[in-house]
Amino acid sequence: YPGSKDEQLKSLEKAGMLYRTRTADKGKRLRKNWTCVWTVLEGDALIFFKDSKHSSSSSAKYPSVLSSPEFRVNLHGASLSWAHKDRSSRKNVLELKTRDGSEYLIQHDLDSIASMWHNAISNRIGKLGID
Ligand code: I3P
């Protein structure tokens, strides 16, 4: 019902195209592989979809061509910050670290869009944290 926690979380859902690379998997460093991915912030997760070909023009939150997400990142206990300049030569890079030691860089050339994701994800992490 309106005003409930579920309702509040739903109103904060975001989706869009982002550049993303994973830089660590449970503490193990990985070689960067920047990919443009359809990204959805939903509930306690940030979901990255593999196939972006048909997603940008779709108004659907989940592009219908996609069967399963590539990565579902659990935001419980995660931390998000603007990446230090030495982490990437790209602009507007966000660094997301999960509780299990995985790390992702997410990036968008437009300051406004990068800031929107920064605010939305930090907000979400904050809301999950006080449960
Ligand atoms: C990497 C690739 C990445 C770059 C990374 C390079 O080389 O050029 O785009 O990250 O820089 O190592 P390769 O394709 O050979 O793996 P940025 O675009 O984020 O700068 P890094 O080693 O400084 O992370």
Side-chain angles (χ1 to χ4, degrees):
Y1 60 93
S4 72
K5 177 120 187 173
D6 280 358
E7 206 56 43
Q8 285 173 27
L9 288 176
K10 261 194 196 129
S11 71
L12 291 167
E13 282 175 12
K14 299 282 179 215
M17 300 302 297
L18 282 176
Y19 282 91
R20 180 236 47 205
T21 184
R22 192 155 60 144
T23 53
D25 179 24
K26 296 182 179 114
K28 182 177 175 281
R29 305 304 305 174
L30 296 173
R31 186 173 183 174
K32 278 180 186 171
N33 179 25
W34 284 104
T35 325
C36 192
V37 287
W38 183 251
T39 306
V40 176
L41 175 65
E42 183 188 72
D44 64 358
L46 191 65
I47 308 165
F48 297 122
F49 290 87
K50 194 174 238 163
D51 185 354
S52 61
K53 273 190 295 232
H54 305 277
S55 16
S56 54
S57 62
S58 168
S59 60
K61 191 173 62 172
Y62 295 108
S64 57
V65 297
L66 299 172
S67 46
S68 63
E70 183 186 13
F71 287 125
R72 184 180 191 95
V73 180
N74 184 349
L75 294 176
H76 281 280
S79 65
L80 183 81
S81 59
W82 291 103
H84 190 269
K85 291 251 183 290
D86 65 10
R87 302 289 288 125
S88 175
S89 58
R90 294 179 175 233
K91 63 188 288 207
N92 303 327
V93 179
L94 291 165
E95 187 166 29
L96 178 65
K97 299 184 179 190
T98 65
R99 201 163 47 179
D100 70 356
S102 293
E103 297 179 12
Y104 301 87
L105 298 180
I106 55 187
Q107 188 266 342
H108 198 287
D109 277 346
L110 293 178
D111 300 8
S112 57
I113 292 182
S115 294
M116 182 282 284
W117 282 102
H118 176 266
N119 295 341
I121 298 168
S122 346
N123 230 299
R124 181 61 48 91
I125 292 170
K127 283 203 162 58
L128 295 169
I130 54 173
D131 275 346

